[in-house]
Amino acid sequence: MIPVRQILSPDDLERYLESPACTELIEFLTALNDAIIGVKTTDSIEDSPVVQNLLKLLDKIKQTNDDTPPIDTKSRFGNPAFRDFYTTCEQNLPTWLAGIVPTEHIEQVSTYLCESFGNRRRIDYGTGHELNFIAFLLCLHKLKIIMPSDFPALVIHVFYKYISVMRGLQMTYWLEPAGSQGVWGLDDFHFLPFLFGSGQLRTHKHLKPKSIHNKEILEEFSPSYMYFECVRFVMSIKTGSLRWHSPMIDDISGAKSWEKVNLGLFKMFRVEVIGKLPIMQHFMFGTLIEFTGSAPEQTDCGDGCGDHGHVFAFGQEFPDCCGIKVPSAAAAAAVQSDDKLAKPRDVFTRPIPFD
């Protein structure tokens, strides 16, 4: 079956947050996090056959990105070639997953993976799409395709490679930040690399949260720890201090320990990601991840915010759940003289000023 949306109102969201489905998701994230405490990104971790297959799957997705160049356009917003990439992946995923997922579950599992690329119509990406990749992994875990023994490699190799693939999509197609909180978010696109990255550092005896302000430490340890790599990436596309362009990251650096950072990010994830209706009204449920909402009549506002119609979430200040279109930092960095844009894949050659 194809998963469908069930969280369509504040009451639905409140019920979901108290449901077994939400508990299951948090417990899965916690287990993944616990599996990589004290583990470096560069550590030697054995990949089981299923992890190897997942890495090959991500290679195919990356190759599809490479084979689908951006369309020449002067727009600073999302490049429409992303829709071709999305459609190609959507058509091929059943075949690519055939050796990993039982046939009767491919349609359901592939939906979560496809949703993890971003929104085809709006050409944007945010923490809700990132959540769909975790849902994809959760489905594999529930089907007993991946085991707890796979969790370290699942985070360090599979999830981290997924982030790399997504950075490639963001650079190639200038995906717009979906519902970005701007400076009040950790990152225009991602949340979980910071969470897992702080988990890696929880037992480190010397590196502290404030170490992110030391440029030499950031460069030396970014290959070994996701958190440092995330901060390095932010610093590579924005100029000035973290205090000005990323005050949330700067505030977190004042924590006394990485354990406090890690636990705090879990609380933040519950409030700012799965606790937000504009995000969770797009999340879908089926027979593997189960939840049933009140299911009022869905209405499509016609602004192309999603592939399954738009939901006017009751109680929202604005009916447009996805917010105002915002060009990506990649597009902003690429603007050159004479209204000409640099090639999308070359956009991170210089940082951009924060404004």
Side-chain angles (χ1 to χ4, degrees):
M1 66 166 291
I2 299 178
V4 297
R5 292 187 292 180
Q6 296 285 353
I7 301 175
L8 309 180
S9 71
D11 288 341
D12 288 338
L13 180 58
E14 185 175 345
R15 289 179 53 235
Y16 169 72
L17 292 174
E18 300 299 326
S19 71
C22 182
T23 300
E24 179 181 65
L25 175 64
I26 294 297
E27 288 179 348
F28 181 61
L29 271 177
T30 302
L32 292 177
N33 180 78
D34 290 348
I36 49 90
I37 291 176
V39 180
K40 294 181 181 180
T41 308
T42 52
D43 282 349
S44 178
I45 303 173
E46 185 176 354
D47 293 334
S48 67
V50 66
V51 168
Q52 293 175 25
N53 286 334
L54 290 173
L55 293 173
K56 291 176 183 177
L57 171 63
L58 290 170
D59 283 335
K60 293 174 182 177
I61 294 168
K62 181 182 183 301
Q63 186 60 52
T64 303
N65 176 197
D66 294 340
D67 294 341
T68 311
I71 296 171
D72 185 14
T73 172
K74 294 183 178 181
S75 172
R76 290 175 60 181
F77 293 94
N79 193 287
F82 173 72
R83 297 181 180 128
D84 297 329
F85 160 82
Y86 191 107
T87 299
T88 299
C89 287
E90 186 177 47
Q91 292 172 346
N92 284 286
L93 277 178
T95 300
W96 293 345
L97 288 170
I100 303 173
V101 180
T103 303
E104 64 271 22
H105 295 292
I106 285 180
E107 184 177 48
Q108 187 171 178
V109 173
S110 66
T111 298
Y112 290 112
L113 183 54
C114 226
E115 286 290 318
S116 76
F117 303 147
N119 185 273
R120 171 166 44 193
R121 292 188 187 178
R122 288 182 58 90
I123 317 179
D124 64 11
Y125 179 93
T127 52
H129 301 106
E130 181 183 67
L131 178 61
N132 272 278
F133 189 74
I134 297 300
F136 165 69
L137 297 179
L138 176 57
C139 287
L140 299 185
H141 179 51
K142 295 191 71 172
L143 291 169
K144 300 188 184 304
I145 295 170
I146 55 177
M147 300 297 176
S149 59
D150 293 316
F151 286 2
L154 208 61
V155 177
I156 300 299
H157 294 165
V158 177
F159 177 78
Y160 199 43
K161 186 162 189 173
Y162 161 74
I163 295 299
S164 176
V165 170
M166 287 313 309
R167 294 295 192 198
L169 296 182
Q170 291 154 18
M171 289 191 288
T172 301
Y173 306 117
W174 296 338
L175 302 185
E176 299 162 25
S180 174
Q181 296 182 13
V183 298
W184 301 112
L186 291 174
D187 179 305
D188 283 341
F189 299 108
H190 297 287
F191 185 97
L192 292 177
F194 288 92
L195 188 151
F196 290 139
S198 63
Q200 288 179 286
L201 288 158
R202 273 181 65 162
T203 57
H204 204 288
K205 295 180 179 180
H206 305 294
L207 294 175
K208 305 298 181 184
K210 65 180 180 181
S211 297
I212 65 170
H213 297 289
N214 186 308
K215 185 177 179 181
E216 287 73 23
I217 290 178
L218 205 61
E219 290 297 329
E220 181 179 352
F221 290 97
S222 58
S224 300
Y225 298 102
M226 275 184 261
Y227 197 97
F228 285 105
E229 171 55 27
C230 287
V231 176
R232 187 208 62 79
F233 180 81
V234 171
M235 295 294 289
S236 75
I237 61 171
K238 296 179 181 179
T239 59
S241 69
L242 284 172
R243 167 59 59 183
W244 290 105
H245 61 65
S246 303
M248 183 68 70
I249 296 176
D250 183 71
D251 287 345
I252 291 172
S253 71
K256 293 182 179 180
S257 68
W258 285 111
E259 181 177 16
K260 287 186 178 295
V261 173
N262 194 225
L263 296 176
L265 287 176
F266 263 105
K267 293 177 181 178
M268 187 177 174
F269 176 81
R270 185 178 177 90
V271 173
E272 299 296 336
V273 180
I274 62 174
K276 294 297 185 184
L277 184 57
I279 293 174
M280 294 306 294
Q281 69 172 347
H282 294 293
F283 193 76
M284 292 181 284
F285 299 88
T287 59
L288 292 174
I289 302 177
E290 297 182 85
F291 174 76
T292 302
S294 56
E297 181 180 355
Q298 297 189 24
T299 52
D300 188 346
C301 67
D303 68 353
C305 69
D307 291 331
H308 306 284
H310 179 90
V311 175
F312 287 87
F314 306 127
Q316 279 185 230
E317 182 178 0
F318 300 104
D320 183 3
C321 63
C322 300
I324 299 171
K325 287 168 68 68
V326 178
S328 70
V335 176
Q336 295 180 335
S337 59
D338 301 323
D339 295 323
K340 183 178 180 181
L341 293 182
K343 294 181 180 180
R345 290 191 177 93
D346 297 333
V347 300
F348 288 113
T349 56
R350 61 185 177 86
I352 61 172
F354 173 77
D355 54 22

